[in-house]
Amino acid sequence: MDDDHMQIGEVAARTQLSLRTIRHYEDVGLVIPSARSQGGFRLYAETDVQRLMVIRRMKPLGFTLDEMRDLLDVTDRLDAFRSADRAERAELLERMAGYERTAARKIEELRTQLSRAEDFAATLRSRLQSVSGEDSGPRTAALPG
């Protein structure tokens, strides 16, 4: 193995993804190891790690595998863009801008959900404090006698 490549364990540690998740992303074609060792082990380059980081950031926002694949295609094509075709470049940039708008919308939705969750937790805390402050012992009903 050369210094430019990493084994899957190092990639998993750097990306905080499980080995199983990385293999799944390989199986569905989102990331392909740059090389294989003589023993057949997957070897990843820094560009592969960066692809996995894009995927990791998209996942909590609810992007589908197809959307991840499409955005990675857009970024790959923009990174490799050498053509004088301005229309193609403009179309790629618009697709990327669409993903940025979608991400911003999904982040706002998550903020709303988080705010509601925090309100709920505060309600529970308040209720616990009011109930525990009323009486420290168990209540017993007086029985008729």
Side-chain angles (χ1 to χ4, degrees):
M1 182 172 75
D2 60 44
D3 291 337
D4 295 336
H5 288 93
M6 299 162 261
Q7 290 187 355
I8 193 170
E10 183 180 348
V11 173
R14 287 193 51 201
T15 61
Q16 297 179 334
L17 294 169
S18 69
L19 300 178
R20 183 177 180 193
T21 298
I22 294 170
R23 289 184 188 115
H24 171 69
Y25 290 151
E26 179 184 351
D27 290 342
V28 298
L30 291 176
V31 66
I32 307 299
S34 294
R36 293 266 182 177
S37 70
Q38 289 181 342
F41 293 104
R42 295 166 174 88
L43 298 177
Y44 296 87
E46 187 61 34
T47 56
D48 302 321
V49 171
Q50 294 311 312
R51 286 178 74 83
L52 287 165
M53 293 302 292
V54 169
I55 295 164
R56 193 187 89 183
R57 291 176 183 126
M58 290 180 81
K59 187 156 178 50
L61 295 177
F63 285 98
T64 66
L65 292 176
D66 285 338
E67 289 170 324
M68 292 175 188
R69 191 175 294 108
D70 183 56
L71 179 60
L72 290 168
D73 176 61
V74 168
T75 58
D76 288 347
R77 289 170 60 193
L78 283 170
D79 288 347
F81 203 87
R82 302 285 184 254
S83 170
D85 186 352
R86 291 177 186 238
E88 180 184 0
R89 181 175 171 77
E91 185 267 332
L92 292 170
L93 290 171
E94 180 52 38
R95 281 170 53 196
M96 183 178 279
Y99 283 108
E100 188 279 329
R101 289 188 297 270
T102 300
R105 179 181 49 78
K106 290 181 178 205
I107 289 167
E108 201 51 47
E109 290 169 2
L110 285 171
R111 283 189 178 119
T112 299
Q113 288 178 350
L114 178 60
S115 175
R116 290 176 182 159
E118 288 171 335
D119 287 346
F120 175 67
T123 300
L124 290 175
R125 269 191 307 278
S126 175
R127 182 72 178 136
L128 279 169
Q129 289 171 351
S130 70
V131 171
S132 65
E134 288 178 5
D135 187 357
S136 59
R139 294 182 185 219
T140 57
L143 297 174

